[in-house]
Amino acid sequence: MGDVRALVEVVARALADDPAQVTVTEAEHRGVSVVEVFMAPGELGRLIGRQGRTAQALRTLAQATGDRTSRKVQVEFRDGAPRR
C-alpha cells in the first residue's frame, strides 16, 4: 500500500515550488486505494500540466505500481491542506 503513496509523493514534491507543502494521503475505499495529493494553493496547475498530461502520466505510474500487487489505484488532486 505504501509503494504507490511513496511514488506519488516523490513526483509531486519534485514538481512543486515548495515541496514542504505537499501532503499525500492514502486510504482504502471499496477495494480501491485512493491516493490524495494536496498542494499549496495555486500550485496544483504544475502537477496537472498542460491538458492534464502530467496528471494522467502520474495516474498511469500509480496504476502500474498498484498492478504489481493486484490493487486498483485512484489518484486525486486537491488544492490546499488536507482536512483533519
Side-chain angles (χ1 to χ4, degrees), residues 25-62:
T25 63
E26 185 173 15
E28 191 74 23
H29 183 69
R30 295 185 182 183
V32 177
S33 292
V34 179
V35 178
E36 290 183 307
V37 181
F38 296 90
M39 297 190 72
E43 279 200 28
L44 195 57
R46 294 178 62 86
L47 187 60
I48 294 174
R50 289 189 177 163
Q51 297 181 358
R53 289 186 184 127
T54 306
Q56 187 58 43
L58 184 57
R59 284 181 173 126
T60 301
L61 283 172

